[in-house]
Amino acid sequence: MSPTQIVLLVLAVLVVAALVAVAVVATRRRALRSRFGPEYDRVVAEQDSRGAAERELRERERRHAELTLTPLSPTDRARYAAAWEELQVRFVDSPAEAVGDADELVSRLIADRGYPTGEFAEQAAHLSVEHARTLTHYREAHEIRLRNERGEAGTEDLRQAVVHYRTLVADLLGEEPVGHRLPEQQHPDSPQDATTR
């Protein structure tokens, strides 16, 4: 082989290696975008670089894999669904209290599923791996609850917080949407299943 052929061969190998590396990065990026949805964009905006954001998201996946998550029993699901419906009814008479109760109910539900219940940011990071599509709702509800504690949230804000919490509760229970089943969705002759309330 001539020196020119060797140089061309080395260049060809380098080009192929570079193309493979670019393809691997693009595939990882697509997978992260698909898994984390809007959370991907939020983390990219918060970090210094896209690479740092993607490392953060992969670290979340790693930490999530170490959790022992458990599905709720049908009885527990029915209990949470009933508690949520009761909370929505109480909202009419006491919206501020209902928002605090909604936050507590979500925290209990998260804990019962096996997620850590520490700081909000840590909770959100753990939830983002499987519940990224509804995490924005949880963040919005949390922010309104904090404003409510400072006396800065109006009734419409509180209503919006409950709607946001409901979205996360439905996602965690695997029901969509909680408390919004229409009567015509049930067959008139079939008994109502407590797990679908």
Side-chain angles (χ1 to χ4, degrees):
M1 241 186 211
S2 73
T4 304
Q5 289 175 322
I6 292 173
V7 168
L8 289 175
L9 182 62
V10 169
L11 287 176
V13 168
L14 290 175
V15 167
V16 169
L19 290 174
V20 168
V22 167
V24 166
V25 168
T27 300
R28 282 184 178 174
R29 182 165 290 153
R30 273 193 305 276
L32 287 172
R33 283 187 102 116
S34 175
R35 180 164 204 172
F36 287 95
E39 183 71 1
Y40 176 91
D41 295 327
R42 193 189 70 73
V43 174
V44 167
E46 282 182 353
Q47 296 289 332
D48 296 334
S49 69
R50 185 174 300 276
E54 291 175 353
R55 280 189 298 278
E56 162 66 22
L57 294 172
R58 283 192 298 274
E59 178 61 21
R60 288 183 188 186
E61 288 177 322
R62 186 196 62 73
R63 288 191 315 261
H64 182 271
E66 294 173 354
L67 298 176
T68 304
L69 300 178
T70 56
L72 295 173
S73 69
T75 302
D76 286 340
R77 286 182 53 176
R79 181 174 49 88
Y80 275 110
W84 182 259
E85 287 184 21
E86 179 185 320
L87 183 143
Q88 289 184 125
V89 169
R90 286 195 329 264
F91 178 83
V92 174
D93 294 325
S94 184
E97 185 179 305
V99 168
D101 292 347
D103 189 70
E104 289 175 20
L105 185 132
V106 165
S107 292
R108 286 194 313 271
L109 177 54
I110 289 169
D112 282 357
R113 288 289 317 277
Y115 289 100
T117 56
E119 294 289 321
F120 176 78
E122 181 184 347
Q123 262 185 346
H126 283 293
L127 287 170
S128 71
V129 178
E130 286 188 11
H131 303 282
R133 304 273 180 230
T134 55
L135 192 57
T136 300
H137 290 282
Y138 188 34
R139 289 183 194 285
E140 292 289 330
H142 179 73
E143 180 56 36
I144 294 169
R145 184 186 65 81
L146 294 177
R147 287 194 345 246
N148 182 47
E149 288 176 356
R150 296 187 305 262
E152 300 170 357
T155 303
E156 179 55 26
D157 296 323
L158 299 174
R159 186 192 71 75
Q160 201 60 48
V162 170
V163 169
H164 288 309
Y165 279 123
R166 181 181 65 221
T167 302
L168 179 64
V169 168
D171 192 24
L172 289 166
L173 291 179
E175 299 176 354
E176 186 58 41
V178 171
H180 279 211
R181 299 269 185 222
L182 299 176
E184 57 269 16
Q185 290 176 318
Q186 299 271 337
H187 187 279
D189 298 330
S190 66
Q192 190 173 11
D193 182 359
T195 63
T196 61
R197 280 189 216 141

